[in-house]
Amino acid sequence: MESNGDVTGGTGAGTRAEWAVVGSGIGPLLLAATSTGLVSVVFHARPAVQDRAVGQLRTRLGAEPVEAPGSARLAEPIRQLAAYFAGSLKEFSLDLDWSLTSGFNRQVLRELAAGVPYGTVVGYGDLAQRVGQPGAAQAVGAAMGANPLPVVVPCHRVVESDGGLGGFGGGLETKRQLLALEGVLPQPLF
C-alpha cells in the first residue's frame, strides 16, 4: 500500500476535501479525498450518515467538503474499490492522507496497512506487539474503531485471539462480508 504522506504529516487545517457516495458490495460508501490522497471512507452512507460525515470532515479539516462525484481525486479510489469488491484487486495502491489520525492510532493503522495482506487476519494483541506495545490490545481495538480509512486500511482483518470477530465500526455483518470476500470466512448461504 502506497501512502504518500510522512509519519507526522498529511493535510493541514483549511484543506479542501472532495467527496462522493459510491455503491459497493457492502452498501453505499462515502469516499473523501484531499490533494494528498484518500482521507476518509464511511460505511452505510445514507443521507443522515452523509450529513454527519461531511460535518466531521468540515470540523477536522477546517474547510467545507465539496460533493464531487466526478472528481479526479476520487476516480482511482472508486476504481480500486470496485475492483476489490469484484474480487480482482488484492492490494490497494492509493495515495492516502493520514491527517485524520495521529500518534499510536496512526502507527497501528500504518502497520495494519503494510503488514496484514488480503486473505489474512491478525489478533489485536499481535498487532500491538508488532508496534512495540505488547500490552496494548485494547488500544489497538480503539485504533481500529477510529480508523478513518476502513476497507483500504483493513481493520476488518483484526480479530480476537480466540477466533472471535471482535468489534467493527461498520457492524459485524459488514466485517463478516469483507472477510468472506477475502476467503477468510465461508460465504454466507443466503
Side-chain angles (χ1 to χ4, degrees):
M1 166 150 331
E2 194 168 315
S3 61
N4 284 354
D6 59 49
V7 173
T8 60
T11 61
T15 298
R16 188 179 121 179
E18 296 176 351
W19 66 276
V21 174
V22 298
S24 78
I26 55 171
L29 298 174
L30 184 146
L31 307 179
T34 65
S35 59
T36 302
L38 187 66
V39 72
S40 182
V41 176
V42 179
F43 294 114
H44 315 299
R46 290 171 187 82
V49 171
Q50 289 174 36
D51 292 345
R52 190 168 47 252
V54 169
Q56 289 171 343
L57 285 168
R58 178 185 313 112
T59 299
R60 305 235 3 237
L61 296 175
E64 184 64 36
V66 176
E67 186 172 11
S71 167
R73 292 179 182 178
L74 294 169
E76 189 60 14
I78 290 169
R79 187 194 72 72
Q80 287 192 31
L81 279 161
Y84 170 81
F85 285 108
S88 60
L89 181 80
K90 308 287 189 234
E91 182 178 345
F92 292 98
S93 59
L94 296 169
D95 290 335
L96 301 177
D97 179 336
W98 293 95
S99 65
L100 298 182
T101 187
S102 62
F104 178 79
N105 286 8
R106 184 183 292 181
Q107 181 184 12
V108 169
L109 292 171
R110 283 180 170 270
E111 173 59 32
L112 174 64
V116 183
Y118 184 97
T120 66
V121 294
V122 66
Y124 293 94
D126 294 333
L127 194 51
Q129 194 159 8
R130 287 186 188 192
V131 297
Q133 301 288 331
Q138 285 185 318
V140 166
M144 296 306 102
N147 180 5
L149 295 160
V151 182
V152 175
V153 177
C155 51
H156 60 277
R157 296 179 190 154
V158 184
V159 297
E160 294 175 346
S161 59
D162 66 2
L165 286 181
F168 192 63
L172 288 182
E173 184 52 34
T174 300
K175 187 171 188 172
R176 279 188 200 91
Q177 289 176 306
L178 291 168
L179 291 172
L181 173 70
E182 294 187 14
V184 175
L185 293 175
Q187 290 287 345
L189 297 175
F190 51 90

